[in-house]
Amino acid sequence: MSRKSFDSRMSQLKDEVLTLGSMVEQATLKAVAALLERDAISAQVIYERDHLINEKRYAIENAVLVQMATQQPMAHDLRFLAAILEIIAELERMGDYAKGIAKVVILLQEEDISIPATEFQEMSSLTLEMLHQGITAFVNEDTAVASRLPLEDRQVDEFYNRIYRKIVVGMIVNPDWIDQGNFLLWAAHNLERLADRVVNICERTVFTSTGEQIEFDLEEEEESML
């Protein structure tokens, strides 16, 4: 295969990763909307369509393995292909988080519990923007964005803590909400974990571009600024 053909195939793989990222983004967006609207019908659709994300992940994985086996890439190209395998696994897991949020909606049904709607909306918006920028940074090998994005994970954690406090207070005031409150905490935790996986993608982006293995340890960064 000529270098031109190889580069064309690599470009196609990038497009496929972007497509998978968009699928996860849309599934999460719709799952959170279903939660806030208590729309169990939409949630069931999201839950049942999770297999599409899985299938896309494995199709990309197969294409990458074929590229590795037939072209024997070296150095940067090999790092990039290996990174795709890791990133699509991260995306598939994020799809599971969206499915989990949809399951919460199904479990809640018409249960009478107050949902911290503003915090859920803002948390999901920030998390999905991180995802969108993280995947774009990977395909563009934008290390500047990949190095900046992990800082936004702190804000996601702050939203999670606000949701946690509101739900726990609600459960204390109304013990009948304990089961439902735990479902909501599960949904919030899924969003928080999604943001953590975006940070993993950022680490892989830096490694792909520079060959340097780094780990964004935000707790240590915070301590160093005290």
Side-chain angles (χ1 to χ4, degrees):
M1 179 183 291
S2 68
R3 183 68 207 187
K4 183 177 180 179
S5 297
F6 180 85
D7 289 342
S8 176
R9 186 58 187 140
M10 295 289 275
S11 179
Q12 292 173 14
L13 287 171
K14 290 180 180 181
D15 288 343
E16 290 296 300
V17 172
L18 287 171
T19 297
L20 179 57
S22 179
M23 291 171 69
V24 172
E25 186 177 341
Q26 288 301 309
T28 307
L29 183 66
K30 291 177 180 178
V32 173
L35 176 66
L36 299 181
E37 297 166 9
R38 308 296 288 272
D39 186 349
I41 295 176
S42 295
Q44 186 67 41
V45 172
I46 297 164
Y47 188 89
E48 293 175 354
R49 288 183 177 176
D50 177 65
H51 71 93
L52 298 176
I53 291 175
N54 299 340
E55 290 169 3
K56 173 62 74 173
R57 176 260 174 107
Y58 288 118
I60 297 172
E61 182 177 288
N62 183 66
V64 169
L65 293 176
V66 168
Q67 190 80 340
M68 285 180 165
T70 59
Q71 303 306 314
Q72 298 182 328
M74 300 294 290
H76 172 270
D77 292 331
L78 182 59
R79 290 201 305 273
F80 187 83
L81 289 169
I84 289 179
L85 293 178
E86 292 198 24
I87 287 171
I88 60 175
E90 297 281 6
L91 289 171
E92 189 269 335
R93 190 69 184 94
M94 293 180 200
D96 290 340
Y97 295 148
K99 180 181 178 181
I101 295 172
K103 185 174 182 178
V104 166
V105 181
I106 297 168
L107 291 171
L108 284 176
Q109 293 293 331
E110 300 299 324
E111 293 284 355
D112 181 23
I113 183 171
S114 177
I115 298 176
T118 299
E119 288 80 3
F120 262 107
Q121 184 63 59
E122 292 179 353
M123 184 181 183
S124 65
S125 295
L126 177 57
T127 301
L128 291 177
E129 181 60 24
M130 284 181 64
L131 172 58
H132 182 80
Q133 290 190 41
I135 294 299
T136 302
F138 171 67
V139 299
N140 293 333
E141 297 191 48
D142 189 337
T143 57
V145 172
S147 298
R148 172 183 56 79
L149 274 180
L151 298 176
E152 298 184 12
D153 185 54
R154 299 172 183 169
Q155 300 176 49
V156 174
D157 291 340
E158 290 172 4
F159 279 122
Y160 174 77
N161 290 333
R162 286 163 58 183
I163 291 172
Y164 179 88
R165 286 192 293 268
K166 283 194 172 185
I167 292 174
V168 169
V169 169
M171 290 191 293
I172 292 172
V173 173
N174 189 344
D176 291 338
W177 284 2
I178 290 178
D179 288 342
Q180 298 93 320
N182 282 326
F183 291 151
L184 290 177
L185 289 175
W186 179 16
H189 182 67
N190 278 4
L191 286 175
E192 189 269 335
R193 289 295 296 132
L194 194 153
D196 289 343
R197 290 186 181 274
V198 174
V199 174
N200 293 344
I201 290 175
C202 291
E203 292 173 351
R204 184 52 51 181
T205 298
V206 173
F207 175 71
T208 299
S209 181
T210 67
E212 179 184 1
Q213 292 183 328
I214 64 170
E215 183 174 346
F216 293 111
D217 191 334
L218 301 183
E219 291 184 2
E220 287 188 2
E221 289 180 13
E222 290 173 350
E223 291 175 358
S224 67
M225 292 187 291
L226 293 178

